[in-house]
Each structure stands twice: as structure tokens, then as C-alpha cells.
Amino acid sequence: MLTLLSLVLVLALGLLQPTPVCALTGQQIAFALQAELSSGSEVVLTSNTSAYPAKNFTPRYNIATPPTYTVAVKPALAVDVQKVVQYALHNNASFLATGSGHGYSTSLDRLQAGIDLDLGFFNSIEIDTVAKTMTIGGSVSSNDLASALQAAGMEATLGQCGCIGYPGASLGGGIGPYSGLYGPMSDSLLSAEIITGRGQLLNVSSTQHPDLFYGLKGAGFNFGVATSLTYRIYPATNGGNAMLAQMIFPGALNQSVWQIVSNFTASNQPKELAIGLDARYVAAMGGMVVMANFIYIGPQSAGMKVIQPFLDLKPANLNISTVAWADIPFKAFYGGIAEGGCTAGAYYVPHSLNLYQIDVPNLVEVFNYMNKTLATNEVLQGVAIAMQQYAQYGFQLQDAKTSAWPYRDVVSFVQIDGVATNPSQLPAVGKYGRKIRDRLHHGSGRKDLQTYVHFANGNESPAALYSAAKLPGLRALKREYDPARLFSWYNPI
Ligand SMILES: Cc1cc2nc3c(=O)[nH]c(=O)nc-3n(C[C@H](O)[C@H](O)[C@H](O)COP(=O)(O)OP(=O)(O)OC[C@H]3O[C@@H](n4cnc5c(N)ncnc54)[C@H](O)[C@@H]3O)c2cc1C
Ligand SMILES: *[C@@H]1O[C@H](CO)[C@@H](O)[C@H](O)[C@H]1NC(C)=O
Ligand SMILES: *[C@@H]1O[C@H](CO)[C@@H](O)[C@H](O)[C@H]1NC(C)=O
Ligand SMILES: *[C@@H]1O[C@H](CO)[C@@H](O)[C@H](O)[C@H]1NC(C)=O
Ligand SMILES: *[C@@H]1O[C@H](CO)[C@@H](O)[C@H](O)[C@H]1NC(C)=O
Ligand SMILES: *[C@@H]1O[C@H](CO)[C@@H](O)[C@H](O)[C@H]1NC(C)=O
Ligand SMILES: *[C@@H]1O[C@H](CO)[C@@H](O)[C@H](O)[C@H]1NC(C)=O
Ligand SMILES: *[C@@H]1O[C@H](CO)[C@@H](O)[C@H](O)[C@H]1NC(C)=O
């Protein structure tokens, strides 16, 4: 009787439920990490209004849906990073590694009151022109790397925006104008020093932990933190210079532009040519326009021959010049990418998809739809379609089986950029961006939505980001190297 009564009481009071683990306070975490990390490391409470701003932690580019932190840490050494990961593992604490802070997926805001593991001290660049390799720290920016490589007479695939973290970009692939020659950045990765979700410090390459090496090249941020990475680099093409041709086409010419672009797909696109397009509403030009940005990796005279069909359309604005390889991110799209993409604190809603064909009627339809719907809505005029069309040559140099990077057959990597000027506009901008993405999907050449992981919104299925074919293998790798799922805040598999 007594026993039964106690049982009833126990049930009623919920005492049989597992004891809730009290979350550690920021104070406790900071105190513990301060005691463990080497003296060159920084550990601060983000609530410390004097110390935190003074330590220059890497700001986030996109503050629309950011993660939040109670503690910010800058480890000095790889073993310090290992201690933070082990601490998180043993104490059920949450952290996110920060490279250059340009990851913008909406998935990031699932991390609240976590630890910022800022890799800012891992900023070294070593270039070996004889071995044709470079070894860089886990947070080196694309711009810093580019100027060092150019000075050494070398080059590599860079992204369009110079302020992104090169390691961060390459762990998801990393694409840009020189992908037509060299494929995604991840194809040039030779080895990495990484701290896994089990807290192990490993050297990873095609001969050491090759299974993890495969995963690092396209899905890397799911398995650990890379403190040092070594890549193949290439002697500068054309003396380290390229043609940059920028032009603006009035809306009336949109169909002609898409038609010529559709002619440049597959083997018709010379490996030296990268096509960038940006369709947006410009009230001063009376509606939708198409901005075009061509990079030709060779002499200007040869480049102009290749883009002659576009020149024949007589764009409203034209500027053709020869620029140093490392300056491309500063000058492309009339400097717009450097200006917009290097200023932290944007309210940005990403949407994106891969096109496997150029469907001219579909593009005309979407273009006309935007022209009609944006005329009376100034807020939504911050939504634009950006298309990157790189030559197939570079993507075909390595077999699909060599890495997690799943998108070697993409014709155009499309972003529907949703830029708001204040947070109240975010819902409308997001809704419209999604609508445009869905309309473009009809002409994508694939039934299922597929998109490049770094351009993703974060609300897509993992199969859309990593491909249905590769996902099971990546999930098996996850169980092996990050069973506690410490690395799951950014577009998780
Ligand atoms: C304006 C702009 C332009 C862009 N243009 C391009 C482009 O042309 N081509 C392209 O491919 N991408 C482009 N991107 C996307 C870019 O590749 C991603 O945003 C990438 O995540 C940037 O890395 P980061 O270190 O700056 O970001 P962070 O936000 O610091 O990191 C993003 C994710 O990667 C992880 N991470 C970063 N560094 C490491 C590391 N060393 N080890 C383990 N995990 C790490 C982080 O933990 C996080 O999960 C662009 C982004 C922006 C904002
Ligand atoms: C803030 O940081 C400074 C410098 O590290 C430290 O001296 C001070 O005690 C901190 N303040 C609080 C409230 O933790
Ligand atoms: C770990 O922490 C999360 C919240 O941060 C909590 O939901 C979860 O129950 C904790 N797990 C354990 C085993 O304590
Ligand atoms: C990784 O390789 C580097 C360079 O060869 C070496 O110095 C380091 O000790 C290795 N680390 C581990 C954990 O094996
Ligand atoms: C796009 O091109 C088509 C075909 O030439 C044309 O009918 C349409 O008006 C153009 N759209 C805009 C917004 O100018
Ligand atoms: C497409 O390419 C073919 C062959 O190179 C060429 O004859 C034709 O004029 C091109 N069409 C357009 C619209 O550029
Ligand atoms: C595009 O929008 C502008 C501005 O509203 C309008 O003047 C123009 O007629 C539109 N073009 C087409 C083809 O509908
Ligand atoms: C043309 O582009 C180059 C490279 O960005 C730039 O230096 C130059 O000033 C531009 N010329 C004009 C007239 O805008």
C-alpha cells in the first residue's frame, strides 16, 4: 500500500523522469576554458561590454538569422582547438567554428547561447612554388590568399567575393571564375589537419583517413574543424592577367542574352570563359536589366572574339579591360560584389538552385514576372537573380567518386539574392525570393531541387544540398567522426 502510494506520488510529481542536466553558464564555460587553453588564446564572455568588442572577433556577414554566443574563444594552437572540442563533447556544450563569417544559411540560428570558436589566429599562408602547393590556416580570407599567390606567380580557384574564408568555402566545394580551369577549390585540397567530432587531431589526405578526406571535399564542416589545409596551386595563366568585360543590357534584350548564353553550355563554353549574369530591377533604367560580367583567362583580344555575340547586341553600357587575377573580386560587376559582399551586418535571405540547362522561355517568363511585380514594390527590388556559368572542363578533371562535391554537371549556379535594408522586410523578401526560385525550378532540367550547399537557404532537404546518391555515405562518415553531432549547425547532412 505504502509502496503503491509512493509510486503514485512519484509518477504525479514526475520524479521518474530523467534529471534535467543544468545548462552550464557562460561564466562556467569561460572559466573552464581559460584554465585549459594556452596563454596565447583569448576567452571572453560576450556580455563583457569592455573586453569583448576590444578583441576583434570575426563579425558575421549576414545578421538576418545569426547564431548567438555567450562565450567567444580564439584558440592559439591546434591543441587548443582540440581542447574546446573535447570540452564541448564532455560537457554537452554547443559551439560553431568561425572562419571568415560569410556562411549565411538560415540553419545557423538554431545555435543560441553557444561558444564562438573563432579561428582568427589560424591565418598563416605558406606558398611553395617548387612543389606547387600552399598551406594555409583555417580562417585565411580569399583576398589575403590571392594577393600572396599573385605575388608568387601562382593562382587557384577563387570565389567571386574576396572576403569569404578560403577554407570554409573549399570545405563545401568553392566555386568561381577559375573553376572552368581547375574545378571547385575542394578538388585542389591535398591534406588537412583537423579536429574531429570525437576530439581527435588527425592529418587527413588521400592516404591518411581517405574516407574522411572524401567527406572534407564538399561536406567538410560536418565532421570537424580544419586548422591547417594544404592545396595544389597552379602557375599563373596569361601572366596573371585576365580580361574583364562588364556590360548592362536593357530588359528588351533579355531573350537574346539568354539565347546566346544557352549556346555556351557544355563543351561550347571555352574553359577560359566564365559568364556571370545578374538580372535585377533598376528603376533608373526603366525596369529589369541584365548585367553581364565575363572573365576570359587569356589575352583581351582572344576574349573579345569569344564574347562577340554579346557585343553584337550593343549593350547599354560596356567596359572591357585587362585586370590582375587577384583583383577580379574587387572589380567584377562594377565593384558591386566587393562593396556588398565585404560589408558585415547584411540582412540577407538566400535562395538558390542549380540549373542543368538554360531554358530560354522559362528565363523570359521569370524576367517578365519580376518586371511586372517589382515595379510597384520598392522593398522587393532588393531581390535579384545571379547566375554563374563556369566551363565544364575544370569540373570534369576529377571523377565524381573522388569527393563529396556532387555538382560536376551543373550548367549554372543560381542565387536569388534577397537583400533587405531592415529586419522588418525579411519575411516579404524571403517569400518573394522563394517564389522566384520555385519558378526557375520549372526550367532547371531536374525534377528535384538541387543546390550548391554554400548558396543554400538552409530549409532544403539534405539530399538537395549533398545529393541523394552521396548522402548515405556521408551519414555513415558522420557516425564515424562526429557521433555526438557537434558539427551540425550549418546545413547539416
Ligand atoms: C558575399 C558572398 C559571396 C560569396 N561568393 C561565393 C563564391 O563566389 N563561391 C563560393 O563557392 N562561395 C561563395 N560564397 C559562400 C561561401 O563559400 C560560404 O559563405 C562559406 O561558408 C564562407 O566561409 P567562411 O569561413 O567565410 O564562413 P563561416 O561562416 O565562418 O563558416 C561557414 C561554415 O563553415 C565552417 N568553417 C569555416 N571555416 C572552417 C574550418 N577551417 N574548419 C571547419 N569548418 C569551418 C563554419 O563552422 C561554418 O559551419 C559567398 C558568400 C558571400 C556572403
Ligand atoms: C571583462 O573583461 C576584463 C578583461 O578581461 C576583466 O578584467 C573583467 O573582469 C571582465 N568583466 C566581467 C564582468 O567579467
Ligand atoms: C544537451 O544540451 C541540450 C541543450 O543545449 C539539451 O537539450 C540536451 O538534453 C542535453 N543532453 C544531455 C545528455 O544532457
Ligand atoms: C600532421 O602532419 C604534420 C606535418 O607532417 C606533423 O607535423 C604533425 O605532427 C602531424 N599531426 C598528427 C596529429 O599526426
Ligand atoms: C524579355 O524579352 C522578351 C522577348 O524579346 C520580351 O517580349 C520582353 O518584353 C522582355 N522583358 C522585359 C521585361 O523587357
Ligand atoms: C550559336 O552557336 C552557333 C555555332 O557556334 C552559331 O552559329 C550561332 O550563331 C550561335 N547563336 C547565337 C544566338 O549566338
Ligand atoms: C517593365 O517595367 C517597366 C516599369 O514598370 C515598364 O515601363 C515596362 O513597360 C515593363 N516592360 C515590359 C516589357 O512589360
Ligand atoms: C572599366 O573597368 C576597369 C576595371 O574595373 C576600371 O578600372 C575602369 O575605371 C572602368 N572604366 C570606366 C570608364 O568605368
Side-chain angles (χ1 to χ4, degrees):
M1 195 61 200
L2 198 73
T3 324
L4 190 61
L5 183 62
S6 353
L7 185 62
V8 168
L9 271 176
V10 161
L11 286 174
L13 297 172
L15 295 180
L16 279 184
Q17 276 162 25
T19 325
V21 176
C22 288
L24 290 165
T25 65
Q27 287 276 9
Q28 289 170 311
I29 294 171
F31 189 74
L33 291 179
Q34 249 148 14
E36 284 192 39
L37 303 194
S38 71
S39 60
S41 305
E42 304 277 9
V43 180
V44 292
L45 284 170
T46 58
S47 58
N48 188 325
T49 49
S50 60
Y52 181 54
K55 301 290 185 188
N56 292 318
F57 279 83
T58 307
R60 291 217 75 77
Y61 165 74
N62 186 14
I63 57 169
T65 47
T68 64
Y69 306 109
T70 51
V71 178
V73 182
K74 261 192 225 178
L77 308 169
V79 291
D80 294 320
V81 175
Q82 185 178 24
K83 282 176 183 157
V84 176
V85 174
Q86 287 174 346
Y87 176 82
L89 191 58
H90 298 138
N91 295 282
N92 189 31
S94 301
F95 69 88
L96 179 75
T98 302
S100 289
H102 271 58
Y104 51 63
S105 166
T106 62
S107 63
L108 287 170
D109 77 352
R110 293 173 306 129
L111 175 58
Q112 294 294 316
I115 303 168
D116 179 12
L117 178 54
D118 190 314
L119 298 171
F121 289 148
F122 295 85
N123 58 2
S124 61
I125 302 175
E126 286 167 45
I127 296 171
D128 185 335
T129 55
V130 178
K132 300 198 179 70
T133 61
M134 63 178 178
T135 297
I136 64 175
S139 71
V140 169
S141 80
S142 182
N143 274 341
D144 288 349
L145 181 62
S147 52
L149 281 178
Q150 180 110 48
M154 306 299 287
E155 68 192 19
T157 301
L158 295 184
Q160 290 242 99
C161 169
C163 293
I164 60 174
Y166 198 84
S170 67
L171 292 173
I175 51 171
Y178 281 57
S179 287
L181 289 186
Y182 309 125
M185 297 169 193
S186 54
D187 275 2
S188 294
L189 186 67
L190 296 173
S191 64
E193 178 186 70
I194 147 167
I195 292 90
T196 70
R198 284 190 193 269
Q200 308 148 290
L201 179 59
L202 301 178
N203 280 330
V204 178
S205 68
S206 61
T207 54
Q208 299 157 288
H209 309 283
D211 56 342
L212 182 53
F213 187 54
Y214 162 98
L216 281 189
K217 296 185 290 179
F221 32 75
N222 286 291
F223 308 109
V225 192
T227 45
S228 170
L229 306 94
T230 299
Y231 303 82
R232 164 98 34 238
I233 54 175
Y234 308 89
T237 312
N238 190 43
N241 295 305
M243 176 194 79
L244 170 64
Q246 315 183 76
M247 43 197 98
I248 303 179
F249 295 98
L253 291 175
N254 76 92
Q255 179 170 294
S256 309
V257 172
W258 312 133
Q259 242 148 19
I260 301 169
V261 166
S262 74
N263 222 16
F264 273 114
T265 50
S267 53
N268 281 345
Q269 182 166 349
K271 64 179 188 299
E272 296 83 4
L273 179 68
I275 302 173
L277 301 169
D278 183 291
R280 67 173 60 239
Y281 196 95
V282 181
M285 290 188 72
M288 290 292 291
V289 302
V290 184
M291 289 172 65
N293 189 91
F294 302 93
I295 309 287
Y296 184 83
I297 308 166
Q300 189 169 320
S301 53
M304 283 178 67
K305 280 204 193 87
V306 170
I307 62 164
Q308 191 60 46
F310 293 100
L311 300 175
D312 290 344
L313 289 182
K314 306 223 179 314
N317 185 290
L318 176 65
N319 180 352
I320 306 184
S321 61
T322 294
V323 299
W325 165 77
D327 287 345
I328 292 172
F330 294 99
K331 296 188 170 166
F333 283 105
Y334 299 94
I337 296 178
E339 200 184 306
C342 289
T343 312
Y347 291 105
Y348 179 70
V349 191
H351 281 95
S352 63
L353 82 166
N354 300 336
L355 300 183
Y356 295 84
Q357 63 184 16
I358 299 296
D359 181 332
V360 174
N362 176 258
L363 289 168
V364 171
E365 189 271 322
V366 176
F367 193 81
N368 287 339
Y369 174 79
M370 289 177 76
N371 195 68
K372 193 173 73 197
T373 48
L374 295 182
T376 53
N377 195 327
E378 223 171 294
V379 166
L380 298 185
Q381 288 172 13
V383 178
I385 300 176
M387 303 170 67
Q388 302 304 323
Q389 187 168 321
Y390 303 126
Q392 277 293 303
Y393 177 87
F395 291 106
Q396 299 304 326
L397 290 174
Q398 291 193 25
D399 192 274
K401 288 198 292 284
T402 58
S403 75
W405 165 258
Y407 294 126
R408 293 180 190 277
D409 52 350
V410 170
V411 164
S412 186
F413 295 93
V414 179
Q415 291 168 279
I416 296 95
D417 287 328
V419 179
T421 51
N422 68 64
S424 71
Q425 301 172 347
L426 289 168
V429 165
K431 197 169 158 211
Y432 189 75
R434 184 168 182 146
K435 200 181 280 180
I436 298 301
R437 183 199 68 185
D438 291 345
R439 282 178 175 252
L440 289 171
H441 185 198
H442 295 306
S444 71
R446 291 284 164 95
K447 193 164 160 289
D448 296 330
L449 180 76
Q450 301 284 297
T451 193
Y452 168 43
V453 63
H454 277 322
F455 290 173
N457 175 283
N459 62 7
E460 302 87 350
S461 72
L465 314 185
Y466 297 102
S467 80
K470 288 179 185 285
L471 196 55
L474 292 173
R475 287 184 167 153
L477 266 186
K478 181 84 173 169
R479 288 191 290 274
E480 177 66 25
Y481 291 101
D482 183 29
R485 301 187 64 81
L486 298 182
F487 295 92
S488 299
W489 303 112
Y490 180 76
N491 296 338
I493 52 180

